[in-house]
Amino acid sequence: MDSIVDSLNNAYQDFVGAAANVLEAKELSGGQKTAATDVALENFKQKWELFRVSCDQAEEFVESVKQRVGSECLVDEATGSVSGRSGQGGMTGLPPISAVRLEQMSKAVRWLVIELQHGSGSAGGAAGHAHPSAPFDARFSEDAAQ
């Protein structure tokens, strides 16, 4: 994370420096278009693009961290791991499920999404079968109804 922050900071500093160079070149030329102002503007454009790329990379990193934290919270909530924390126990009223069971359900959902994206699943067909790598287990009452 430090490298992303450093990269963003450096790109920002370069961008601000390039903007200052444009203003300085304009002032020295008396507001006229010269080779020096053209070079300063071109450098400014390059630094702007590099800054935008750094911003995009930082945004992607933040999004990936948000997803990872969200996934960890979901697993904690589903497995009951958060019930030991003060003030958070029993908020949902749902019984905890095992991490293995959560992974099975997650795989089943992923396979259904893939099938639907490829057009091979229909509403009836997708519900009628599960992918072999994510079988439903009859020991769980919520699966027995399926």
Side-chain angles (χ1 to χ4, degrees), residues 91-106:
M91 289 176 60
T92 64
L94 298 174
I97 60 173
S98 73
V100 172
R101 179 71 186 127
L102 180 63
E103 183 62 27
Q104 285 177 338
M105 290 187 298
S106 176

Side-chain angles (χ1 to χ4, degrees), residues 5 15 24 34 41 63 70-71 73 82 87 93 101 103 109 127 134:
V5 171
F15 170 64
E24 185 178 319
T34 65
L41 282 171
E63 286 301 316
S71 296
C73 289
V82 294
R101 179 71 186 127
E103 183 62 27
V109 168

Side-chain angles (χ1 to χ4, degrees), residues 92-130:
T92 64
L94 298 174
I97 60 173
S98 73
V100 172
R101 179 71 186 127
L102 180 63
E103 183 62 27
Q104 285 177 338
M105 290 187 298
S106 176
K107 284 181 182 178
V109 168
R110 277 194 299 264
W111 279 108
L112 288 173
V113 167
I114 290 169
E115 287 177 5
L116 289 172
Q117 286 174 340
H118 292 307
S120 64
S122 64
H129 68 283

Side-chain angles (χ1 to χ4, degrees), residues 130-142:
H131 194 274
S133 70
F136 288 108
D137 192 332
R139 293 177 294 169
F140 298 99
S141 59
E142 66 270 18

Side-chain angles (χ1 to χ4, degrees), residues 3-142:
S3 65
I4 292 172
V5 171
D6 290 341
S7 174
L8 185 58
N9 184 48
N10 292 338
Y12 175 75
Q13 294 300 326
D14 290 346
F15 170 64
V16 170
N21 289 341
V22 168
L23 294 174
E24 185 178 319
K26 280 283 196 183
E27 185 178 323
L28 290 174
S29 71
Q32 301 298 315
K33 182 177 177 180
T34 65
T37 58
D38 287 346
V39 168
L41 282 171
E42 187 59 38
N43 186 44
F44 174 77
K45 289 177 188 176
Q46 290 173 354
K47 298 303 180 185
W48 167 246
E49 287 301 319
L50 291 173
F51 179 60
R52 285 182 45 194
V53 168
S54 292
C55 287
D56 290 345
Q57 290 171 342
E59 184 177 15
E60 288 173 9
F61 176 75
V62 168
E63 286 301 316
S64 71
V65 169
K66 281 173 44 178
Q67 289 177 356
R68 186 168 64 224
V69 168
S71 296
E72 289 171 2
C73 289
L74 176 64
V75 169
D76 287 348
E77 185 69 27
T79 60
S81 297
V82 294
S83 62
R85 297 181 188 162
S86 63
Q88 293 184 355
M91 289 176 60
T92 64
L94 298 174
I97 60 173
S98 73
V100 172
R101 179 71 186 127
L102 180 63
E103 183 62 27
Q104 285 177 338
M105 290 187 298
S106 176
K107 284 181 182 178
V109 168
R110 277 194 299 264
W111 279 108
L112 288 173
V113 167
I114 290 169
E115 287 177 5
L116 289 172
Q117 286 174 340
H118 292 307
S120 64
S122 64
H129 68 283
H131 194 274
S133 70
F136 288 108
D137 192 332
R139 293 177 294 169
F140 298 99
S141 59
E142 66 270 18

